[in-house]
Amino acid sequence: MSILEKLGLGRKKKGPIPFKSAKRKKEEQVTFLSEKKYIKPIISLLFLALVIVIYPRTSVQDIKVEIGEPWRDEDLTAQFTFSLVKEEKEIQEEVEEVEASTVPIFHVDDKANIRIQTKLDSLFRKFDPVLDKYAKWQKSIANEEEATEDSLAFVRQKEKSRVGLDDNGWEVLLKDYAAILLNEAEGQEPGSSRFVGIDIRLKLEQVISDVLRSGVINRSKEDLNLSEITVRSLQNRTERSYSVPNVRDVSQSREYARVILSNSLGEDAATTASQLFNLIIEPNLNFNEGETQARIDEGVDEISPTKGAVAAGQVIVRKGDLITPEIYTMLESLAIARADRASNLDRWQRYVGQGLIMLTIFIVFFMYIYLYRRRIYENNAMFLLVFLVISLVYAASALLGAMEGFSPYMVPVALAPVILTIIFDSRVGLMTTITIALMTGFMHGSSYQYVLATIVACSLAVFSVRDIKKSSQFYLTTPGLLYVSYAFVLFAFTMTKLGGWGTFTNNMGSLVPNAMGIWLTAPLIWLIERVFRVTTDVSLLELSDTNHPILKDLMNRAPGTFHHSLQVANLSEAAAASIGANSLMCRVGGLYHDIGKLDKPEYYVENQSGRNEHDKLKPRMSALVIKNHVSKGVKMAREINLPDVIIDFIRSHHGTSMISFFYEKASHQLENKQEVQEEDFRYDGPIPHTKETGIMLLADSIEAASRAMKDPSYTKLENLVSRMVDERIAEGQLSNTSLTFQNLTVIKESFLKILVGMYHGRIEYPDQEKLDNGQPEEKGSKKDQPEQVNTSTQVN
């Protein structure tokens, strides 16, 4: 990047980077991507290629004004004669008119009459065995014989027939048939009385012939908007027009039959006949959807896409004129005409220009990452992550933008800046917002309204997730804020136009999927964390729950350590918040930093109740046990898949400090103090390398020392905090962190405030005794001297 430095765009010169051990360097090599210098150019080129390739290709130049806006350019005159293109709404209306005016086509079903007659014959054949069984049953009753078996035989035969008549319909036929047989049994000449079923059948055949002759269609007449239909006979190869009032649908045919049968037969017989008619009638004119649609398509193809023309030299719009629907139509028509007349060179020139604009936007964003986000630029995995997230949103906007009737406000472009804010910080999110707004805004007609609305809405969404406190932010707060922000900006733009309220209403509907798209943040963050091995506030928020299994285990098996961890978490969180560090990370690190003590909880003073296990051990062995809780904690953390950033807290929360209590004890046991090896009584480290781990190292030692203090007073706590911080600085425990002296001053004040709150029932504030006794306090009194507490004697 030497060329950038020559242009004055190189990074600012910074002081020397703190020394990192070989072990630390190895830990920071996340993947092979971080070691390859050629990866970044490949990622950049692939991103640019994707942006240019999927950019919506259209030969028609987008109209950059909307109806109701003033024309700000010079007077526009037609350079050549061109036709006016009809609006989509006009063409759709003409299509609907063609559909409504096209006569539907029906085909004659020549076999319908045969099928109906066959069904009628089948019904009457089924009547015969039922009538015979009924007659036999009635004859047994008349002869006063046992009729149970005959009755059952009749019922079985009736059910077997499955004719479809109800009880009333059967009763007409059965009673008439039985009456005829009874008359014949009494001596009446056979054939003198005719069975009503014969009359019903004859009448049915007549009615069926009538309705089929006029035509029965297989559609409801309510669906026919025209007064005629076309009927084609494939058998006779004829085509005729039928008047719709003269044909019947199935329901009308049934009603017609009911009336005719009622007039021709008795009431009971007509009811039975109507039921039989309903069972057998079917249409003989069937609607042919394919041929009807073909006729409609022919009419649609004849619709002209243009209306009128604009002559060469005619003024289309003058500077300052408001854009009316008519002027907008002329501008659209002019753009289409220019595209039709454009040469291949003109088209390629336009495509190259679009690519250069996208390249310019990319360069600005790239320079921001290169100059101000060095940790992203130097880590190829994170560099890939940034452009991958932007590419996904850009691709969604480009692909959906090619769809008919698509609104650019439907795409949840805020997803990218929100995700990158959660992973990195809000400044990266804001730059991403500007980049995506410009790229998608240029894609959608270079709309200033769209760009401004997107920048405002996405920026507020970024602000809302810069500090995650609860997961409901992704489902309520951020989507609601995004929707309201978009709506406010669009409402303001609409007020500056004339007659734009229809578009505003449509945009409000389009913003619903835009806002709901934020719901994808949580699952996408989950996926990114596992693929790129990053830790976000979303995961930290879950880990901060004290119901985590290992924290529950710590509470049950080592309650003193658990209480200590809670206090350290509170101290660290408050101190981090006071200097602008990651307070949530500090809290989670504080909760888990001592989980290694689960291995031998009884060896730590906060968990002891009377007996001290170290009385049975030599000082060197005691120090080894105490040191071991760090490595044990790292091992446990890896087993339960805690993030690496939290494992850093466990590994470095003691740094390389001395376990002074056992060192002094060993020194007293040996006359020659030089025989005691300091390395045996010093933690293995490493020392903290971030503000957050540095804060927790201080909080851990100060919390342990304050618990060992007898009768804590405000002055004692103040001196303790100041001395402990100074000691850690002198030992070099904070050398690799970026904590400044100003930061440490603020951290001291934060620690003191929390400690005073913890011991508020026990501490004595300065001058309190003097005020209580009504006497001035003497300087240099014993009360002024802080209680000397050697924090290293606490086996924490």
Side-chain angles (χ1 to χ4, degrees), residues 19-29:
F19 170 77
K20 295 182 181 179
S21 64
K23 180 180 180 181
R24 184 67 203 166
K25 290 181 180 178
K26 186 176 180 180
E27 291 169 354
E28 291 186 353
Q29 292 173 354

Side-chain angles (χ1 to χ4, degrees), residues 146-216:
E146 176 61 35
T148 303
E149 185 64 29
D150 295 331
S151 173
L152 293 175
F154 160 70
V155 172
R156 284 195 295 268
Q157 186 62 46
K158 180 182 175 183
E159 292 177 350
K160 183 181 178 181
S161 67
R162 297 181 181 178
V163 171
L165 290 176
D166 60 16
D167 292 339
N168 293 331
W170 273 112
E171 186 177 2
V172 172
L173 299 175
L174 295 172
K175 285 186 175 182
D176 188 74
Y177 189 76
I180 292 174
L181 293 180
L182 181 61
N183 292 337
E184 291 178 356
E186 292 177 352
Q188 192 176 41
E189 184 179 353
S192 58
S193 299
R194 191 164 70 171
F195 176 46
V196 70
I198 297 174
D199 295 334
I200 290 175
R201 177 164 184 164
L202 292 173
K203 201 61 185 176
L204 281 175
E205 291 176 346
Q206 179 184 347
V207 173
I208 290 170
S209 177
D210 291 342
V211 296
L212 292 180
R213 189 183 305 111
S214 61
V216 180

